[in-house]
Amino acid sequence: YGFEFSDLVLVRRGFANFLVFKFTGSISHGKSVVTMALDFIAGCLGGCAGVVVGHPLDTIKVHLQTQNLKNPQYTGAYQCFKSLVAKDGIRGLYRGISSPLAGVAGINAIIFGVYGNTQRYQNDPNAIASCAIAGAAAGLSQSFLTGPMELIKIRMQVSNDTRSISHIARAIYHREGIRGLFKGLNITIVRELPAMSSYFVTYECLTRTSDNSPVSTATMLVAGGLAGVVSWIISYPVDIIKSRLQMDGVDGQRVYKNSLDCLKKGIATEGYGFLARGLTPAVVRAFPVNAACFTVVTWTLRVFDEAPSVVESSEVSMWDAFVYNMQTTESSVMLF
């Protein structure tokens, strides 16, 4: 392939452990390209697995968030689950899944690309503050894809519209214009800043060791799950407002002028408790979603015999990504 591996070094940097392969020659062709492609595919499959595992609970969460308090359809998460299954079967729980599945690859690329680059360019990349800033930057960047994707998903989940993503997107565009597709973008950004920041900070704190030794797969699974739970608890009140804004006006006249108006009216009519409506399925969903994502990434690498030592030592992050440098004489590939 035009190069030879000469060294394998474990480096601690930021939120993950890096395996650095030192070699000579060019990496523009050959096995390195296959390796990088496999890394990306593993990350995408992990993200898709998380969506498949967590979407039913997400559907329940959205139904609880958007129901009319004066005439509620559901008394709780379990009753909502039974009603959806009785009405539409298991397919009802997976309504709207095509939208997040379609966007998961782009979202993963944005999150880890922005996070890694932002963290590395700070004065002290290993500092917790650097992780928080990099996480917030990643959240800001991916909001522009997450906003429209979740808008379509929510409308497919709550309504009986079974058309494709493209049909729903075109319908929104023809009815509301380009602004309609980005409805709720500002509140999405407000949600994603603390959500992604707290996620990476929690994960970093739970996986750090005094001697920088690699943690086990089980530890990383638990850390990833807990990081997701913490992230959702912190950002959930904002997610409530976002969901209501994105559904507002679908069935007729708009109820809310903006995010603040939605908050005021929600408190006035339902009390502060409305900010936690549907929190249980969201938190329950957070843990297995992250666990499933990491497990699929690990097994994908195992099946293709990609660096077995990396998998056994849990050197691959929960959502796989990669960073590489290309030089003509001495290069390194970092899988994190």
Side-chain angles (χ1 to χ4, degrees), residues 80-330:
C80 180
F81 166 78
K82 291 195 300 181
S83 298
L84 292 175
V85 173
K87 180 181 179 182
D88 300 316
I90 297 299
R91 292 184 61 182
L93 296 174
Y94 282 95
R95 180 173 293 155
I97 194 174
S98 54
S99 179
L101 279 177
V104 69
I107 288 177
N108 280 357
I110 292 173
I111 288 176
F112 286 99
V114 173
Y115 178 84
N117 283 282
T118 303
Q119 186 185 32
R120 281 191 299 276
Y121 280 102
Q122 296 187 69
N123 293 330
D124 186 2
N126 291 320
I128 295 298
S130 298
C131 298
I133 294 172
L140 172 64
S141 301
Q142 62 109 16
S143 295
F144 296 91
L145 180 59
T146 301
M149 183 194 76
E150 292 191 352
L151 172 70
I152 297 172
K153 172 184 71 71
I154 288 173
R155 295 193 178 185
M156 291 177 72
Q157 286 175 322
V158 176
S159 68
N160 292 320
D161 199 334
T162 58
R163 294 176 297 173
S164 65
I165 298 174
S166 59
H167 278 89
I168 299 231
R170 284 198 298 267
I172 295 174
Y173 175 76
H174 289 313
R175 185 172 60 250
E176 306 174 46
I178 191 65
R179 293 185 63 181
L181 288 172
F182 287 92
K183 185 177 182 178
L185 176 61
N186 292 337
I187 196 68
T188 300
I189 293 174
V190 172
R191 182 195 68 177
E192 291 301 319
L193 289 176
M196 296 307 299
S197 181
S198 60
Y199 175 83
F200 283 111
V201 168
T202 302
Y203 186 84
E204 173 68 19
C205 291
L206 293 175
T207 55
R208 282 192 173 185
T209 57
S210 57
D211 57 353
N212 287 334
S213 60
V215 296
S216 66
T217 300
T219 299
M220 297 184 81
L221 286 169
V222 173
L226 291 177
V229 170
V230 170
S231 175
W232 264 111
I233 291 176
I234 290 175
S235 62
Y236 194 78
V238 181
D239 185 67
I240 287 271
I241 298 173
K242 181 196 73 70
S243 294
R244 293 194 174 191
L245 283 176
Q246 291 185 324
M247 277 300 300
D248 189 33
V250 174
D251 298 326
Q253 186 177 2
R254 292 185 59 180
V255 178
Y256 310 114
K257 298 178 182 178
N258 49 45
S259 303
L260 183 60
D261 184 56
C262 179
L263 175 63
K264 289 180 178 179
K265 288 181 177 178
I267 295 175
T269 58
E270 307 170 45
Y272 287 96
F274 94 96
L275 293 172
R277 180 176 296 165
L279 177 61
T280 299
V283 170
V284 171
R285 168 182 172 269
F287 197 99
V289 163
N290 291 286
C293 183
F294 177 79
T295 302
V296 170
V297 169
T298 303
W299 275 105
T300 301
L301 295 174
R302 283 180 175 175
V303 168
F304 287 95
D305 292 327
E306 275 298 313
S309 61
V310 173
V311 177
E312 293 299 329
S313 299
S314 303
E315 302 303 336
V316 183
S317 68
M318 179 186 60
W319 288 343
D320 202 39
F322 64 85
V323 177
Y324 66 92
N325 297 320
M326 293 195 302
Q327 300 175 358
T328 57
T329 56
E330 183 177 3

